[in-house]
């Protein structure tokens, strides 16, 4: 790699991320890694939806305003429109919030006032990805928690299922992520589920000439119509993102979307857009290539917009700022 390119890559990283390191709590909270690991093992074993839930929550937090646990803050009379209550975050997993609270409580007993909620999120996400078969990547620690949580920032940052591929790509490139990194991160859909309302337009009343989206595999469409038949009266109705191995982190998602087995319109677009299709085909064929790129993209995401020093705080409770009254 040439020096100018290396220099450009360096200056594109958040400068504060240089202050983070993997051994940040070695002296101040030596049991940090153990406490996180033990708690996520118990939780994931009891609730398999935890891993995809926290992976999605971590992405929503980081891509919006940096990895600063702002998504964990509850709305109050002093801050009535917190990120957690933004429309795009209302479907975030209760299991994900729950495991962060459990880990934080355990850490407060072991080393009070030391470990930030944002570091708990980053470490727990990595450990859960690894636990369900995904790749390992180093997590640099030392983040501080945000002093702001503004729900209005989510809409401008988060991609949605109804967007065109141009719009989705723009959501990532404006934050300094490449198209390849975007596709790799989308591979997180290999675990977890999506609520029926997000893809109902593809399986019910698609057009005047077709009840279902013709780009969707007909057998999958038939199955989804059964699963989602009551979705309007029961908004919790959902389907697995990966119909073949929903609980295992692997490259099946990419194989699926090439066969018309992706739930979302954005999944279909990934498989046909000339900018993303070659990457999808690579990952469908070579799981190791996907794992390597996903690990690098997650390592980059985990230091996106981090706060250090006096730009943040270590919250006593993850759902509220230290400086705001109850």
């Amino acid at each position: 790699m040439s020096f100018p390119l290396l220099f450009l890559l360096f200056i594109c990283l958040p400068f504060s991320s240089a202050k983070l390191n993997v051994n940040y709590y070695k002296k101040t909270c030596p049991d940090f890694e153990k406490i996180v690991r033990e708690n996520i093992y118990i939780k994931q074993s009891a609730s398999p939806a935890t891993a995809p839930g926290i992976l999605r929550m971590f992405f929503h937090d980081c891509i919006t305003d940096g990895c600063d646990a702002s998504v964990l803050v509850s709305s109050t009379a002093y801050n009535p429109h917190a990120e957690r209550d933004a429309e795009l975050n209302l479907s975030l997993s209760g299991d994900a919030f729950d495991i962060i609270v459990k880990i934080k409580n355990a850490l407060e007993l072991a080393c009070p006032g030391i470990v930030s909620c944002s570091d708990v999120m980053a470490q727990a996400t990595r450990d859960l990805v690894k636990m369900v078969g995904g790749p390992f990547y180093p997590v640099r620690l030392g983040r501080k928690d945000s002093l702001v949580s503004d729900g209005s920032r989510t809409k401008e940052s988060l991609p949605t299922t109804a967007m065109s591929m141009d719009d989705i790509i723009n959501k990532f490139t404006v934050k300094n992520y490449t198209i390849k990194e975007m596709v790799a991160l989308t591979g997180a859909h290999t675990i977890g589920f999506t609520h029926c309302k997000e893809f109902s337009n593809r399986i019910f009343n698609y057009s005047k000439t077709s009840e279902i989206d013709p780009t969707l595999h007909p057998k999958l469409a038939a199955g989804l119509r059964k699963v989602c038949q009551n979705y309007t009266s029961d908004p919790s109705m959902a389907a697995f993102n990966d119909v073949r191995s929903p609980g295992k982190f692997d490259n099946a998602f990419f194989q699926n979307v090439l066969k018309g087995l992706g739930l979302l319109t954005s999944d279909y677009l990934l498989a046909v857009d000339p900018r993303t299709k070659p990457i999808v085909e690579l990952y469908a064929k070579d799981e190791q290539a996907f794992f390597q790129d996903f690990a690098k993209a997650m390592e980059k995401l985990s230091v996106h917009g981090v706060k250090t020093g006096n730009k943040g705080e270590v919250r006593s409770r993850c759902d509220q700022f230290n400086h705001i009254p109850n």
Side-chain angles (χ1 to χ4, degrees):
M1 183 181 292
S2 66
F3 174 75
L5 182 55
L6 189 63
F7 178 71
L8 279 171
L9 286 173
F10 174 76
I11 62 171
C12 284
L13 284 171
F15 185 73
S16 55
S17 68
K19 300 175 184 176
L20 308 183
N21 69 83
V22 293
N23 296 313
Y24 189 82
Y25 296 113
K26 191 170 184 180
K27 293 181 179 177
T28 55
C29 192
D31 286 336
F32 165 72
E33 291 183 17
K34 181 185 175 195
I35 289 169
V36 174
R37 192 167 54 244
E38 288 178 350
N39 275 277
I40 66 113
Y41 180 81
I42 293 168
K43 179 68 175 174
Q44 177 65 20
S45 299
S47 305
T50 304
I54 200 167
L55 186 50
R56 182 166 177 252
M57 185 172 78
F58 186 62
F59 174 76
H60 278 224
D61 183 55
C62 293
I63 209 71
T64 297
D65 203 22
C67 301
D68 57 8
S70 52
V71 76
L72 301 178
V73 176
S74 296
S75 297
T76 65
Y78 300 92
N79 186 38
H81 304 294
E83 215 174 289
R84 180 172 181 161
D85 296 313
E87 185 181 355
L88 291 173
N89 286 334
L90 293 178
S91 61
L92 291 178
S93 161
D95 284 315
F97 287 104
D98 181 61
I99 187 57
I100 298 301
V101 170
K102 280 186 167 65
I103 295 170
K104 177 65 173 174
N105 288 346
L107 288 167
E108 285 301 301
L109 290 172
C111 37
I114 299 296
V115 181
S116 67
C117 301
S118 45
D119 274 350
V120 172
M121 284 180 71
Q123 186 82 3
T125 300
R126 192 279 310 278
D127 286 359
L128 279 161
V129 166
K130 183 66 181 157
M131 185 177 168
V132 295
F136 176 90
Y137 56 90
V139 176
R140 286 181 281 165
L141 303 162
R143 297 163 189 75
K144 292 291 178 66
D145 298 325
S146 70
L147 300 170
V148 174
S149 181
D150 182 357
S152 67
R153 297 183 184 181
T154 59
K155 198 168 185 180
E156 62 193 59
S157 299
L158 289 168
T160 66
T161 56
M163 286 181 177
S164 68
M165 187 50 68
D166 283 343
D167 289 337
I168 293 171
I169 287 173
N170 184 59
K171 290 286 184 186
F172 283 86
T173 54
V174 77
K175 303 269 185 180
N176 192 38
Y177 291 90
T178 66
I179 292 175
K180 193 168 193 178
E181 287 168 337
M182 179 200 80
V183 176
L185 289 170
T186 306
H189 288 170
T190 189
I191 53 175
F193 56 84
T194 296
H195 289 101
C196 293
K197 70 180 180 66
E198 299 295 339
F199 55 85
S200 60
N201 64 310
R202 300 187 77 198
I203 56 173
F204 298 116
N205 306 312
Y206 177 73
S207 71
K208 289 180 180 178
T209 57
S210 177
E211 183 70 10
I212 64 167
D213 181 346
T215 65
L216 195 59
H217 194 290
K219 285 187 178 177
L220 176 63
L224 292 175
R225 281 167 64 87
K226 287 181 183 176
V227 169
C228 298
Q229 60 184 335
N230 298 319
Y231 85 97
T232 52
S233 56
D234 183 0
S236 67
M237 301 299 296
F240 288 120
N241 294 326
D242 172 5
V243 293
R244 293 194 301 163
S245 52
K248 184 185 178 190
F249 197 100
D250 55 22
N251 68 335
F253 166 76
F254 296 106
Q255 297 170 356
N256 291 343
V257 298
L258 291 171
K259 297 172 183 173
L261 296 170
L263 296 184
L264 305 172
T265 302
S266 53
D267 295 338
Y268 164 71
L269 294 175
L270 268 185
V272 297
D273 189 284
R275 294 164 292 184
T276 54
K277 184 181 179 182
I279 307 167
V280 171
E281 289 174 335
L282 169 66
Y283 293 160
K285 183 175 63 176
D286 187 345
E287 185 174 80
Q288 198 54 40
F290 165 49
F291 275 22
Q292 286 174 356
D293 288 351
F294 181 81
K296 287 176 189 171
M298 283 298 291
E299 192 178 352
K300 178 176 175 177
L301 177 68
S302 72
V303 297
H304 180 79
V306 294
K307 281 76 178 170
T308 56
N310 61 6
K311 291 186 174 148
E313 63 182 3
V314 174
R315 287 187 214 134
S316 300
R317 282 182 47 166
C318 291
D319 62 347
Q320 63 187 39
F321 303 118
N322 294 342
H323 62 287
I324 289 184
N326 293 329

